[in-house]
Amino acid sequence: MPLRYRLITGPDDADFCARISGLLDQGYRLYGSPALTFNGERVIAAQALVLPNSAGPEASEGSAR
């Protein structure tokens, strides 16, 4: 079962972009803005993604509130 939330991190390079693109192709949607930092050698990126329209225990609990 696919995860409803993913946080992808890694060097800001073509491989990172390919990972994000692959998840978008699987139906994930970007969640918020990317975060960037510099580790002294290269830029490290983080991007959250969510899988919309996936039901789970948390979704039913949240709708009751």
Side-chain angles (χ1 to χ4, degrees), residues 2-4 6 23-24 26-30 49-52:
L3 299 172
R4 292 187 316 263
R6 304 276 309 259
L23 288 167
L24 292 172
Q26 293 175 33
Y28 282 87
R29 298 290 173 247
L30 298 176
L49 298 105
V50 294
L51 189 59

